[in-house]
Amino acid sequence: MPKNVIAGSYDLLSRIDLDELMKKDEPPLDFPDTLEGFEYAFNEKGQLRHIKTGEPFVFNYREDLHRWNQKRYEALGEIITKYVYELLEKDCNLKKISIPVDATETEPKSFIYMSEDALTNPQKLMVLIHGSGVVRAGQWARRLIINEDLDSGTQIPFIKRAVDENGSPEEHAIYVWDHFIAQSAAENVFFVAHSYGGLAFVELMIQREADVKNKVTAVALTDSVHNVWHQEAGKTIREWMRENCCNWVSSSEPLDTSVESMLPDCPRVSAGTDRHELTSWKSFPSIFKFFTEASEAKTSSLKPAVTRRSHRLKHEEL
């Protein structure tokens, strides 16, 4: 008889949904809808860490409640997906494109992300395709994002590298010069180049020296990181820069105070601030004064012989 009772009990258990048993003692499946609500955030290394403890994500938040822990993990995963979408748009400057492009309102839709020049850039196009499962656009593996970091789990490093290799700042400056600036009707062209932009301008001079000298009146550099030695700028370029360029550098000295330079190129003066990112703004009035003086000097240098001859003729006539 006891055997029959045991068998009967086993038969009863076999017909009960185990999920229903697990649900009895677990808390409600009511989870936050933000990272802050979960008390997690990505640190400067792209690692998901607890806001208060600094610890990595803990899957077994409640012991013996595997189903509840799994649902919590999935809820966090959905927030991570939205977070990655924001990074694709804000950090990578990608656009969200709905597909099919001709879908009606009632048809199911999906989407892709693409760069502004994806269809117009004649040089390169890189396509990233993720796997199946819970991963979404911009992700390689959600588990890696949560347990490792954004670099290993998302496609963002690939996207940024592709953008970087799509043309250096130096190549960009030369392209813009050839296709736009060189074609302009302006007799006086002025450059303001900040930080790495100064290096890009020097490279432009190296590649288009005669054209730049002919068209550019003055160049204002602000905390430029150029180096005429490393960039192998020739003597004639260095001489032109001494006459037509000025570098407003970060310094605690008053605005326009001369600052000693180890490089034989353009004069260096204080931007009136020791903050690199403020050098352009703080030197704003001095830069336009510099441009005005350069323009006036260029204009007067084109007329002196004519003016003297004109005055001599009038004197002889008298």
Side-chain angles (χ1 to χ4, degrees):
M1 185 68 181
K3 291 182 180 179
N4 291 336
V5 172
I6 293 173
S9 300
Y10 177 80
D11 186 53
L12 176 64
L13 285 171
S14 67
R15 293 197 299 268
I16 295 176
D17 187 345
L18 292 179
D19 272 352
E20 292 300 322
L21 284 176
M22 295 171 68
K23 288 178 184 178
K24 285 187 176 181
D25 297 324
E26 71 180 17
L29 301 178
D30 185 19
F31 302 108
D33 57 3
T34 64
L35 278 178
E36 294 77 11
F38 271 94
E39 296 188 329
Y40 280 97
F42 286 98
N43 62 19
E44 66 279 0
K45 295 180 180 179
Q47 301 166 322
L48 189 67
R49 292 292 182 265
H50 196 275
I51 295 173
K52 296 178 180 177
T53 66
E55 294 295 317
F57 176 76
V58 176
F59 179 85
N60 290 317
Y61 188 75
R62 293 175 182 251
E63 294 197 13
D64 301 326
L65 290 175
H66 180 81
R67 180 178 177 275
W68 186 90
N69 288 330
Q70 178 64 33
K71 294 296 183 182
R72 173 175 173 268
Y73 177 82
E74 292 171 3
L76 177 64
E78 291 302 312
I79 296 171
I80 295 294
T81 293
K82 294 177 183 177
Y83 182 81
V84 172
Y85 288 162
E86 291 178 5
L87 293 179
L88 294 178
E89 295 179 21
K90 295 178 181 178
D91 285 14
C92 301
N93 296 316
L94 301 186
K95 290 180 63 179
K96 185 178 179 180
I97 307 297
S98 295
I99 56 174
V101 293
D102 56 351
T104 64
E105 291 185 5
T106 58
E107 284 184 281
K109 301 180 184 66
S110 185
F111 57 87
I112 60 173
Y113 281 94
M114 59 190 289
S115 60
E116 290 278 0
D117 64 343
L119 303 181
T120 58
N121 190 315
Q123 296 179 334
K124 300 175 184 176
L125 177 65
M126 184 173 72
V127 181
L128 301 174
I129 305 176
H130 60 71
S132 61
V134 297
V135 291
R136 298 292 182 264
Q139 300 181 34
W140 293 128
R142 180 185 290 179
R143 181 178 62 82
L144 287 178
I145 299 174
I146 294 175
N147 298 316
E148 298 296 331
D149 54 35
L150 288 166
D151 279 352
S152 62
T154 73
Q155 298 171 346
I156 291 173
F158 285 78
I159 296 168
K160 290 185 174 180
R161 178 65 179 270
V163 171
D164 289 343
E165 291 191 353
N166 202 27
S168 67
E170 298 95 305
E171 293 170 334
H172 182 71
I174 293 170
Y175 182 91
V176 172
W177 175 272
D178 290 343
H179 292 82
F180 298 97
I181 303 172
Q183 311 299 326
S184 72
E187 296 181 356
N188 293 290
V189 174
F190 303 94
F191 273 80
V192 180
H194 175 65
S195 191
Y196 197 89
L199 186 149
F201 174 78
V202 172
E203 185 61 28
L204 172 63
M205 275 220 71
I206 294 171
Q207 300 297 328
R208 303 288 187 271
E209 181 177 354
D211 293 339
V212 170
K213 287 180 177 180
N214 183 57
K215 202 165 185 67
V216 176
T217 301
V219 179
L221 306 174
T222 57
D223 232 7
S224 171
V225 298
H226 73 278
N227 188 306
V228 291
W229 293 135
H230 293 163
Q231 293 182 257
E232 299 181 353
K235 180 181 178 182
T236 54
I237 290 177
R238 298 197 302 270
E239 290 174 346
W240 186 90
M241 290 182 67
R242 276 196 291 271
E243 295 297 323
N244 300 279
C245 299
C246 185
N247 190 8
W248 278 265
V249 299
S250 53
S251 169
S252 57
E253 296 294 324
L255 179 64
D256 294 330
T257 302
S258 180
V259 177
E260 187 176 355
S261 173
M262 300 296 290
L263 296 175
D265 48 23
C266 59
R268 285 161 47 101
V269 297
S270 172
T273 178
D274 55 9
R275 291 175 58 183
H276 171 73
E277 67 275 15
L278 275 176
T279 50
S280 298
W281 174 240
K282 291 295 186 179
S283 55
F284 175 85
S286 296
I287 288 174
F288 274 88
K289 181 181 178 184
F290 173 64
F291 285 166
T292 300
E293 291 174 351
S295 181
E296 291 173 351
K298 181 179 179 179
T299 302
S300 63
S301 69
L302 297 175
K303 299 181 179 179
V306 176
T307 303
R308 285 196 296 270
R309 187 168 185 274
S310 175
H311 281 231
R312 187 168 63 252
L313 289 171
K314 290 181 178 179
H315 178 72
E316 289 172 355
E317 288 172 0
L318 289 171

